[in-house]
Amino acid sequence: MSEPSRPPAAGAARVPVAGEEGAPAACHGYVGLTFDDGPSRHTAALLEALHEAGLRATMFNQGNHVDADPGLVRAQADAGMWIGNHSYSHPRLTGLGPAERESEIARTQDAVAAAGGGIPTLFRPPYGETDETVRATAAKFGLTEILWDVDPQDWNGASADAVVEAVGRLTDGQVVLLHDWPATTLRAVPRIAEVLEANGLRPGMICPVTGRAVAPDGV
């Protein structure tokens, strides 16, 4: 049974309700913020920026980077991020044989779990290159392949302005491709929060059934 609501304590700040000045914007849907290629030396700063902006995201980690610094995976999990599989060494999986392809995915599942990041249910193929064999291999490990709807090209030198503008094109359920390491993306994080709020969107989890962004667990 849920606990009955209680009046606010004396002196407690009153939270504005919808329609009042200072109230949060109405929620018109959820989007998936995703960051590839981590964890890295930039991860701590990225997590701090996301925390300060009130954002949660899905981190598609490389297994070799996880093994190099497993503590960063625990930091991602402790910060409330969702953790996905981005292969072990970032190869073009469509060009690998079955055993190599399976090893890339399996080693990353093991690395993330050993680092305290849970067992991933989402998989993003490097470069977005995929086919039926890649999807079938991922499915063997209970993974749903996740690509993206919007690519701001932060990996290709896009400015912070360009990253924010691209995020502003997201609609309910869509997913944006970002990366763990670009300085421009880090600088864009506070403004990403602002543009999502202005559009009535909130960061959500990616559903492993549909591959679309939905409300976070418990919300």
Side-chain angles (χ1 to χ4, degrees), residues 2 15 22 49 51 58 66-67 74 76 88 91 94 98 111 136-137 142 161 164 175 184 189 203 207-208 213:
S2 61
V15 178
H51 172 73
T58 300
V66 172
D67 281 341
R74 169 53 65 183
Q76 291 173 337
Y88 193 83
T94 54
T137 304
D161 287 344
V164 174
V175 173
T184 53
V189 167
C207 175

Side-chain angles (χ1 to χ4, degrees), residues 40-91:
S40 72
R41 62 187 178 89
H42 306 280
T43 298
L46 176 60
L47 292 176
E48 182 177 357
L50 291 169
H51 172 73
E52 290 179 355
L55 299 175
R56 296 176 71 186
T58 300
M59 320 302 271
F60 283 104
N61 287 336
Q62 287 180 220
N64 57 350
H65 293 170
V66 172
D67 281 341
D69 199 338
L72 289 173
V73 178
R74 169 53 65 183
Q76 291 173 337
D78 289 346
M81 305 302 153
W82 300 281
I83 300 172
N85 183 321
H86 194 42
S87 81
Y88 193 83
S89 62
H90 210 275

Side-chain angles (χ1 to χ4, degrees), residues 22-34:
C27 178
H28 299 301
Y30 295 88
V31 297
L33 304 178
T34 67

